[in-house]
């Protein structure tokens, strides 16, 4: 991760964009406070697949075919 002030980023934008294209995260700061992060775009499909795999690894599926034995009443 590279931290850089907005003014410095503006002056040397191509240098910092090269960092991003090489996989680094560039954090832009203004008066010492983080205002933005630049990073390579990620594929949403891959992110969602990874998240679903994570959820599946933590889940347990029981009997989903048998009828519910408890009485159920809905009130409207």
């Amino acid at each position: 991760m590279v931290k850089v002030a907005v003014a410095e980023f503006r002056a040397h934008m191509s240098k910092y964009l090269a960092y991003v294209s090489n996989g680094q995260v560039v954090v832009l700061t203004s008066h010492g406070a983080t205002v933005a992060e630049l990073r390579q775009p990620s594929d949403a499909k891959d992110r969602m697949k990874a998240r679903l795999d994570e959820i599946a690894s933590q889940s347990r599926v029981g009997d989903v075919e048998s009828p519910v034995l408890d009485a159920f009443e809905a009130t409207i």
Side-chain angles (χ1 to χ4, degrees), residues 32-54:
T34 299
V35 294
E37 289 185 5
L38 297 174
R39 62 183 73 233
Q40 289 182 328
S42 60
D43 185 14
K45 184 178 179 180
D46 290 341
R47 280 196 330 263
M48 292 300 108
K49 173 82 171 96
R51 181 66 179 128
L52 287 173
D53 289 344
E54 179 185 341

Side-chain angles (χ1 to χ4, degrees), residues 6-72:
V6 173
E8 169 71 13
F9 175 77
R10 241 183 282 162
H12 304 283
M13 188 181 304
S14 59
K15 170 184 163 183
Y16 293 106
L17 291 178
Y19 288 156
V20 172
S21 69
N22 289 325
Q24 290 191 3
V25 176
V26 175
V27 177
L28 300 178
T29 62
S30 178
H31 302 288
T34 299
V35 294
E37 289 185 5
L38 297 174
R39 62 183 73 233
Q40 289 182 328
S42 60
D43 185 14
K45 184 178 179 180
D46 290 341
R47 280 196 330 263
M48 292 300 108
K49 173 82 171 96
R51 181 66 179 128
L52 287 173
D53 289 344
E54 179 185 341
I55 292 169
S57 72
Q58 299 171 2
S59 301
R60 185 177 64 96
V61 178
D63 181 7
V64 295
E65 295 179 4
S66 298
V68 176
L69 299 178
D70 297 332
F72 177 78

